[in-house]
Amino acid sequence: MFGENRDSETVWFAMSAPYRNEMRAKSLLESKGIECFRIVESRTGVKSRKLLPAIHNLIFAHTTKEQIQEAKNGVHYLQYRVKREMGKNVPIVVPDDQMAHFMTAC
């Protein structure tokens, strides 16, 4: 998907934050100026209201390949979601129009 000339293009990367590290990953990315989207649901208990991930381990980052690579460098809990293409693992990239529809639906 990414050649040398596309590494500076801003796209939506599907990222994984295993072991319930979604909020930690989101905070890290936002501290580096990267826009994030995470699906949350609200649960109201007797004493409190919590925002919890609707889909665990999943976060979307709107950035360039260079920026996300730099942000995740040395961070073990932030990983690319990948697909196999021609024998290689390639990061999953969601097109802007599809991501806009997805965010509207959520």
Side-chain angles (χ1 to χ4, degrees):
M1 170 78 198
F2 278 93
E4 292 176 28
N5 58 345
R6 296 197 58 189
D7 283 355
S8 60
E9 183 180 345
T10 301
V11 295
W12 284 100
F13 288 95
M15 305 296 291
S16 177
Y19 310 110
R20 300 187 187 261
N21 280 307
E22 302 94 347
M23 289 303 294
R24 189 173 167 194
K26 184 175 186 286
S27 294
L28 170 81
L29 294 172
E30 288 177 340
S31 74
K32 297 186 181 283
I34 297 173
E35 178 185 2
C36 297
F37 178 74
R38 189 176 66 89
I39 307 164
V40 294
E41 63 183 41
S42 177
R43 291 196 186 158
T44 305
V46 176
K47 295 184 179 183
S48 66
R49 182 174 179 238
K50 292 182 180 179
L51 289 177
L52 300 171
I55 302 173
H56 288 285
N57 304 332
L58 185 63
I59 187 167
F60 296 93
H62 193 230
T63 187
T64 65
K65 174 83 171 186
E66 295 165 342
Q67 287 176 315
I68 195 69
Q69 194 62 40
E70 184 180 315
K72 70 181 262 7
N73 193 16
V75 180
H76 67 281
Y77 59 86
L78 184 61
Q79 304 162 358
Y80 290 111
R81 299 291 303 183
V82 297
K83 61 183 176 184
R84 291 290 282 177
E85 263 185 21
M86 294 188 272
K88 295 183 179 182
N89 289 332
V90 178
I92 294 174
V93 173
V94 182
D96 286 339
D97 59 332
Q98 290 180 15
M99 194 65 193
H101 291 303
F102 181 64
M103 289 189 293
T104 301
C106 292

